[in-house]
Amino acid sequence: EIVKLCSRLSYPVKVKATALMFFKRFFLYNSCINYNPARFMLTCIYLAGKIEEAYIGAEEFCRLLSQDIKAVLNNEVQLLQGLKFDLIVHSPYRA
């Protein structure tokens, strides 16, 4: 689902890889019962776009995906805490 949404937003492959890694890292230590994976998936994509310099503003991001802006932005701090603020991703797509 992350790959489909990233393709819909015309993000480069490195953003897709980073979003997937953020999602996996977050749910490695956090339960799906406590955190809604669908909401955090969107936040992972949004954060990956910021990290990989393919930024789309929050309003535009949510408008393109028909999502609530507060749902994405409210989870951003929780995602960063869950990732322990480790935003470095080593992927073969980095240049």
Side-chain angles (χ1 to χ4, degrees), residues 56-69:
I56 295 176
E59 292 177 3
E60 181 73 10
F61 178 84
C62 292
R63 187 183 62 76
L64 291 171
L65 297 177
S66 304
Q67 297 294 325
D68 180 31
I69 189 169

Side-chain angles (χ1 to χ4, degrees), residues 12-55:
V13 177
K14 65 182 182 176
V15 174
K16 296 174 191 178
T18 302
L20 282 167
M21 187 59 69
F22 286 166
F23 189 79
K24 288 180 180 182
R25 278 187 196 169
F26 182 80
F27 283 106
L28 184 64
Y29 298 105
N30 297 290
S31 173
C32 294
I33 295 170
N34 296 332
Y35 300 99
N36 183 352
R39 299 273 182 177
F40 275 85
M41 175 181 60
L42 295 172
T43 307
C44 287
I45 295 169
Y46 177 68
L47 184 61
K50 289 168 83 172
I51 298 301
E52 296 296 342
E53 300 175 5
Y55 180 68

